[in-house]
Amino acid sequence: MTRTDVPSGARADEAVGLRARAARHALLPLRIFLGVTFVYAGLDKLTDSAFLSATGDGSIGDLMRGVRDTSAVPALVDLALKAPVGFAVALAIGELLVGLGVLAGLLTRIAAVGGALISLSLWLTVSWAVTPYYYGNDLVYLMAWIPLVLAGAPYSRWIR
């Protein structure tokens, strides 16, 4: 029996090569999106003096106090509130390192685990009470990190 959906000869080799190349690059758009987003989020936090304050409009302290009673894990919020500025700086640096790691394809699985943990902690605290649940973006980011946790960066170089 002859398959008619696959060309023979050189065209078959080209089709297989194209599929293999697409498979190698399948996670690249996700890596770029998550990497750029997390680098941007980290830089945005580090350059926002209002956010890097314990109190005041737009501060991490006010944000954490505002979500404390509606979060799934209030103890996590309480921990952040012990040193809100330190927590904000650690979060921003974590986002920056995760984003750069995923963009560069260096230790991608470890960076993706870091991104997933950041997203999980933000989902359980900041966006836990968002209804309906799909309006909260942290759960979506958590799910987006999972393929990179599982597969890493099978193709780290951008151009070959």
Side-chain angles (χ1 to χ4, degrees):
M1 196 171 240
T2 305
R3 289 185 61 186
T4 58
D5 62 333
V6 177
S8 60
R11 291 192 67 192
D13 292 341
E14 289 174 17
V16 170
L18 184 59
R19 276 190 227 112
R21 182 178 233 167
R24 280 196 316 264
H25 292 87
L27 294 177
L28 189 58
L30 187 59
R31 283 177 49 205
I32 293 169
F33 171 74
L34 290 171
V36 168
T37 300
F38 269 59
V39 166
Y40 178 79
L43 290 174
D44 190 44
K45 287 175 180 67
L46 288 173
T47 58
D48 185 351
S49 59
F51 182 78
L52 294 176
S53 299
T55 59
D57 286 343
S59 70
I60 184 68
D62 280 4
L63 172 66
M64 293 276 99
R65 280 186 287 282
V67 300
R68 194 241 177 245
D69 294 334
T70 58
S71 74
V73 188
L76 203 57
V77 178
D78 291 339
L79 185 63
L81 282 171
K82 289 185 181 197
V85 175
F87 170 75
V89 170
L91 175 62
I93 290 172
E95 287 173 336
L96 192 57
L97 292 175
V98 162
L100 290 172
V102 169
L103 280 173
L106 300 172
L107 304 171
T108 306
R109 280 193 172 119
I110 293 170
V113 167
L117 290 173
I118 289 170
S119 298
L120 176 64
S121 65
L122 291 174
W123 176 55
L124 291 173
T125 56
V126 177
S127 53
W128 181 257
V130 174
T131 56
Y133 76 92
Y134 50 83
Y135 281 172
N137 63 350
D138 296 311
L139 179 59
V140 176
Y141 283 112
L142 172 60
M143 294 298 118
W145 284 113
I146 292 174
L148 294 177
V149 170
L150 296 173
Y155 191 73
S156 293
R157 290 189 208 159
W158 292 33
I159 301 172
R160 182 166 253 227

